[in-house]
Amino acid sequence: MPDEQQAVASPEPVPGSAADGRSPEADNADNRAGGGERNDRAPGEDGAADVDGDTTRDEAAEREKERERAAGRFREHTRDPLAEEQSEDGSTDLAAASRARRSTRMLFDTGRDLNSFDRSYIRSAHIGDIHLRMDARQSAVGMRSGPVPDEDLRRLRRVHVEPEGYPALRNALRARRLLVLGAAPGTGRTSTALALLDEVTAFAAGAAGAEPTARPRVLRVGPDGGVRGLTTSLGGAPGAEERPATGYLLELALTQPGSPPPDVMDLDALAAALDGCRAFAVIVVPVGPAANPLLAGRYGMLCRPVPTQELLTTRLRERLEDHVAEAEADAPDGGHRVADLLSRAEELAGRQDVRDAVGLNDLRPAEAELFASLLAGHLLEDVTYEELLAGCRSLAAAQAQEWFAGVDRVPAAPPAEGSAGARPGAAALFHPVAFRIALAVLCGAPHSAVAAAAHLLTWELSVQSAPDSTPARPLFCDDPESDLALSRGELVDGRVEVAGTEVDARLVWYRGSALPAAVLSEIWDRHFPVRAPVVRWLRLLADDPRPQVWMRAAVAAGELCVRDFDHGYAELIRPLAEAATARRRIFAATTIDQAAGHTSHRKAVRHLVDEWSRQETESLRWTAAMALGYGNAAATTDGSLDALARIGVRDEGEQLAVASLNVVRLLTLRDSATVLRRLTDWTHHPREAYQDLGLVTTVRFAVSRVAEVLDDEPGSPLGDRGDWPLVLALAATRPELVGPLADLLWTALNTPRSQDVAMDALAALLRSAERKDGTEWTRPGLAALLPVLTAEEHDRRRLDWLLRRLMNDPENPLPDAQARSLWWLAVPPRDRTGEKERHG
């Protein structure tokens, strides 16, 4: 760095003047802030000999105190909105909240006009000779006892797909005659149980040389009597030993009050009775804490889900073979016709819009059957493409409906005469549904966060169901694997931000992008009493200090409000918008912005935010400012800036901090040039309040990191520069913005009340050129900005002084080589003639 260009006259940087040709705001701003005295005028000049020396020193000291007070006010204005709830210098987690919002919005933006709660599915349809009932799924527990028809067994042998580990299940059943089969409902566990019984009984009958008879080989057993009832019936059946090779299917729910699960002695007694009559039995149980002792015993085994592609191919082939067999019975090339249709069906299933409409990573047997019927129907011209997509969307909605239908029907019934009024097992009953709701709201968050939120919601649901009793929750009965299996969830290794740094975490997701929206739609539209506990729960989540929790909850709350805006506004938006804490107000702003993402609600939200921006209530104006920063709460960028200016200049700039922050957030969107033009207008405005808004915003975009203010603008070039200062990221990616950015920063550096804070910001920008390990960081942005910012001699003198100050910093000195490199970045090539040889 050339010694000739060192600022030797004063340790302070030398500002420009009106004659510099840069910005007349410098003179005006200096006079307004310093009582008409410019900071480059020596104290005591113009008549200092007539003034007493002590008075001169007192005036200088007073000016210095005023300057420090002004700098303090600017530092206060540039704090983050959450700083009031955290330490002065601590991370405010705005960056983590922004990332959580972008991640969550992707779950609800499925390309259906931003309205992912699409319930326009077909409830029944005829496809060829097949009659589909899309709402006909019923619990197997409610099915009647009796023999399984032979035609059902024949079809099962034709279409059943063996899950992983099927031979081991078959061998265990043959060896012990009793098998306790555990799986999540809907995963094909009943079909697998029937296939096992059909196979082992047929083999046993053949091995015994028994003559075929008309009696059924496989029977369903009602759950009322349970394991003991089946044991008794086998032991007392006349001639049981003469009727070998009979299979019994018993399905137990294990969650109904008054029906305790069987113990080991019950199972041993049943196995002995089966062995005595040479029969077999499969007991199907849902995975979960109640079934764990059964599955861990000698008779228990898990049933794995069938692979989706194999399941779908089998169902498609069945549908297409039936059609070809009926339509082309005498055609010799029927096999080729089926192969061609199957190939076209699989290609149709692979289309992106069809996959998005299905929204499930894995299909269960009933879903695969419906999907196959829809694909075959479209290929056979019985179903239109729109009907195909609508039917595909029904899959996730049907799953959600099945999960929540009649969950508390038994506990809600009046207690029997003489029994206690408390509803037994309320917490255990509601925990699975609470976990599904928590996963829908916090999908992608750490598993611990979802589990904790599920327990909170379990409490709220239990209290709502039985307000006169205190719900009990066992402390050591959680089963994470069962929660995931019963909710179609999965754990994924990922990263989560904690106190400004990323750490490894186990994240939990639904296995299907359509499930979060389907679950929220189901509970909000079809189960009105659930709204009250869910609203209380969401308010609790709004107070959670983790951004991956409260921000995800805010986005989900916005989606719920779209379903019934009147209810959501009264119960969620307005109370939180008027809250005393900043986090709750940001929650409300995010919620209302999520609603504004829907065309149906955009006009209403914009009117509401405009009204809030004019309100006397400070909290409503603050919340309106945060909503405006997302860019959806006004029709145009100019409209957003007008409202933010109205908020920022009111009451002597009381809410200048939040207004300036959200102007900076708008700067990350497409219309950055409009924002910069408005900032220039503000800094030249005759009213000091507008000047302060422009100056504070300028300092803020110099100190803010991209990740803290970046919205979910798709394809933004700023996205891969999250840890860059925003001004340098814009300078590196938007060359046309370099001039306005430099002019605004120059004005802040040359205005006394913002000078100190702006100098600190510039110092931080210079230090960001390289990372601690010496690799390049923001150097391209500095290379674009510094030459324009230091075009005049006095600007270079200031830079020289600042670099030397950083080099002499006793705690964190800037390396000499890095300082020289920054200097040569700032000096244009045409001004380097001869200097590099003398000083380089």
Side-chain angles (χ1 to χ4, degrees), residues 147 150 211-217:
D150 289 341
E211 295 293 332
T213 64
R215 66 177 180 82
R217 283 190 297 109

Tab-separated table of all heavy atoms in Angstrom, residues 147 150 211-217:
chain	number	residue	atom	x	y	z
A	147	PRO	N	-65.456	-68.221	6.780
A	147	PRO	CA	-64.462	-68.766	5.846
A	147	PRO	C	-64.087	-67.767	4.759
A	147	PRO	O	-64.895	-66.939	4.356
A	147	PRO	CB	-65.188	-69.981	5.255
A	147	PRO	CG	-66.636	-69.673	5.406
A	147	PRO	CD	-66.764	-68.888	6.669
A	150	ASP	N	-63.010	-69.513	-1.711
A	150	ASP	CA	-61.946	-70.069	-2.543
A	150	ASP	C	-61.566	-69.131	-3.685
A	150	ASP	O	-60.403	-69.063	-4.080
A	150	ASP	CB	-62.395	-71.424	-3.121
A	150	ASP	CG	-62.453	-72.507	-2.051
A	150	ASP	OD1	-61.807	-72.307	-0.995
A	150	ASP	OD2	-63.132	-73.520	-2.265
A	211	GLU	N	-58.190	-86.169	1.136
A	211	GLU	CA	-58.999	-85.959	-0.047
A	211	GLU	C	-59.574	-84.545	-0.035
A	211	GLU	O	-59.941	-84.017	1.026
A	211	GLU	CB	-60.144	-86.987	-0.094
A	211	GLU	CG	-59.683	-88.411	-0.256
A	211	GLU	CD	-59.055	-88.649	-1.615
A	211	GLU	OE1	-59.438	-87.926	-2.577
A	211	GLU	OE2	-58.193	-89.539	-1.724
A	212	PRO	N	-59.668	-83.894	-1.196
A	212	PRO	CA	-60.274	-82.555	-1.254
A	212	PRO	C	-61.714	-82.601	-0.773
A	212	PRO	O	-62.468	-83.514	-1.111
A	212	PRO	CB	-60.191	-82.195	-2.740
A	212	PRO	CG	-59.107	-83.071	-3.293
A	212	PRO	CD	-59.168	-84.347	-2.507
A	213	THR	N	-62.088	-81.668	0.048
A	213	THR	CA	-63.446	-81.590	0.583
A	213	THR	C	-64.007	-80.204	0.325
A	213	THR	O	-63.306	-79.279	-0.080
A	213	THR	CB	-63.447	-81.875	2.094
A	213	THR	OG1	-62.700	-80.842	2.756
A	213	THR	CG2	-62.819	-83.232	2.400
A	214	ALA	N	-65.296	-80.064	0.613
A	214	ALA	CA	-65.960	-78.777	0.403
A	214	ALA	C	-65.755	-77.829	1.579
A	214	ALA	O	-66.116	-76.662	1.499
A	214	ALA	CB	-67.460	-79.005	0.179
A	215	ARG	N	-65.185	-78.331	2.656
A	215	ARG	CA	-65.017	-77.460	3.821
A	215	ARG	C	-63.927	-76.434	3.540
A	215	ARG	O	-62.983	-76.699	2.801
A	215	ARG	CB	-64.670	-78.289	5.052
A	215	ARG	CG	-63.323	-78.980	4.959
A	215	ARG	CD	-62.978	-79.732	6.247
A	215	ARG	NE	-61.695	-80.393	6.148
A	215	ARG	CZ	-60.530	-79.797	6.337
A	215	ARG	NH1	-60.509	-78.507	6.630
A	215	ARG	NH2	-59.396	-80.466	6.244
A	216	PRO	N	-64.032	-75.237	4.148
A	216	PRO	CA	-63.023	-74.200	3.913
A	216	PRO	C	-61.705	-74.546	4.594
A	216	PRO	O	-61.678	-75.173	5.655
A	216	PRO	CB	-63.658	-72.955	4.514
A	216	PRO	CG	-64.590	-73.462	5.565
A	216	PRO	CD	-65.115	-74.768	5.036
A	217	ARG	N	-60.613	-74.145	3.945
A	217	ARG	CA	-59.295	-74.375	4.546
A	217	ARG	C	-58.829	-73.186	5.386
A	217	ARG	O	-58.030	-73.347	6.298
A	217	ARG	CB	-58.264	-74.652	3.451
A	217	ARG	CG	-58.331	-76.049	2.876
A	217	ARG	CD	-57.139	-76.363	1.976
A	217	ARG	NE	-57.092	-75.492	0.798
A	217	ARG	CZ	-56.196	-74.525	0.615
A	217	ARG	NH1	-55.305	-74.267	1.541
A	217	ARG	NH2	-56.208	-73.808	-0.492
